[in-house]
Amino acid sequence: MAKASTRKASIDRIILPDLVDDDGVLLRSGDTREAKRYTGIDLDGRDLTGITFEECEFSKVSLHETTLRGASFSECLATDLHAPVFSAPRSSWRDVRIEHARLGSVEAYEATMRSVHIDGSKLDFVNLRNATLTDVLLSNCIIEELDLGSATVQRLELQNCRIGTLEIGSAKLKDVDLRSSDFLAVHGLEGLRGATIDDAQLSLLAPLLAAHLGLRVE
C-alpha cells in the first residue's frame, strides 16, 4: 500500500473586480463594504466590530488598535499592512492574501480562516488559540511566537518561515507541513500529532521529545 503524502493547502486565486476608492471616513461597526480600494489610510483606534469586507483591496493601511472583533474578510488582497497591535478575535477570513505586513501582537483567537495566504510578512506574537484553520499557507514569514494552542488545523503549510516559538498544546492537526521552516522552540509536543517534519527538524526536536517522554539518554 502506498504511503499517504501530506496534502497541500489549497489556495484559491483572487481576482478582484473594478474597485472604487474609499477613504474609510464613513466606516462604522457592522457595515458591509464591497469592491472598495483602501490606500494609505489610517484606521488606528477605530471601532469596526462586525464589519464585512468583500472583494476589497488594502494597501499601506494602518490598523493599530483597530477593533475588528467578529469582522469578516472574503476575497480580499492586503499589502503593507501596519499595526503594532492587530485585534481581530473571532474574525472570519476566506480567500484572503496578505503580503509584506508588519504586525506586532496579533489577536485572532477563535478566528476562522479558509484559503488564506500570508507572504513575506513579519509578525511578533500571533494568537490563534481555539481558531479553525483550513487551507492556510504561510510563506517567507518571520514570526516570533505562533500560538496554535487548542486550534483545529487542516492543511496548513509553512514555507521558508522562521518561527521563534511554536505553541501547539492541545491542537488538532491534520496535513500540517512544517518542513522547510525553522523553529527555536516548540511547546506542547503532544499537539504535533498530524504534522509533517523533515529529518533535520527531527534531530533538533529529539532532546525535547526525550524530555517530554521522560527518557534518559546516556
Side-chain angles (χ1 to χ4, degrees):
M1 181 179 295
K3 185 178 179 180
S5 59
T6 303
R7 297 176 62 189
K8 293 184 175 297
S10 177
I11 304 297
D12 295 331
R13 185 181 179 189
I14 301 172
I15 301 177
L16 297 180
D18 291 335
L19 302 178
V20 176
D21 290 328
D22 188 338
D23 61 12
V25 172
L26 298 180
L27 290 177
R28 298 290 184 273
S29 62
D31 282 354
T32 296
R33 293 291 187 271
E34 184 175 352
K36 302 294 185 182
R37 179 187 290 111
Y38 301 92
T39 304
I41 65 173
D42 184 340
L43 297 175
D44 291 355
R46 299 275 294 277
D47 182 2
L48 300 181
T49 301
I51 198 166
T52 296
F53 293 102
E54 299 177 354
E55 298 183 316
C56 291
E57 181 179 64
F58 304 84
S59 178
K60 298 181 180 179
V61 174
S62 184
L63 294 164
H64 178 50
E65 295 187 337
T66 305
T67 301
L68 291 165
R69 176 182 293 269
S72 176
F73 300 84
S74 62
E75 296 183 80
C76 291
L77 297 174
T79 305
D80 294 319
L81 294 184
H82 178 267
V85 175
F86 182 80
S87 180
R90 301 189 178 97
S91 52
S92 176
W93 307 71
R94 180 179 62 81
D95 294 330
V96 175
R97 181 179 175 92
I98 299 173
E99 298 179 337
H100 310 304
R102 179 60 181 94
L103 306 177
S105 174
V106 177
E107 293 293 334
Y109 56 85
E110 298 179 18
T112 301
M113 297 185 178
R114 179 181 291 273
S115 187
V116 173
H117 184 187
I118 302 176
D119 179 64
S121 298
K122 189 175 188 305
L123 316 172
D124 291 341
F125 171 67
V126 181
N127 181 358
L128 286 167
R129 295 188 69 84
N130 292 293
T132 300
L133 278 59
T134 307
D135 293 314
V136 175
L137 171 60
L138 304 179
S139 57
N140 308 303
C141 290
I142 299 173
I143 303 175
E144 296 299 327
E145 182 174 352
L146 176 58
D147 188 348
L148 294 172
S150 300
T152 300
V153 186
Q154 185 170 354
R155 296 186 300 279
L156 166 67
E157 286 187 68
L158 272 62
Q159 294 182 354
N160 301 315
C161 292
R162 284 192 290 154
I163 312 294
T165 300
L166 176 64
E167 170 63 63
I168 48 174
S170 301
K172 297 178 181 178
L173 309 183
K174 183 177 181 180
D175 292 312
V176 172
D177 194 342
L178 304 179
R179 294 171 293 182
S180 83
S181 291
D182 298 325
F183 305 90
L184 294 180
V186 179
H187 296 163
L189 288 173
E190 72 281 356
L192 271 177
R193 181 186 297 272
T196 301
I197 61 176
D198 59 27
D199 291 340
Q201 289 170 325
L202 179 59
S203 297
L204 293 173
L205 286 173
L208 297 176
L209 290 169
H212 178 70
L213 295 173
L215 299 177
R216 185 170 58 202
V217 181
E218 295 181 344

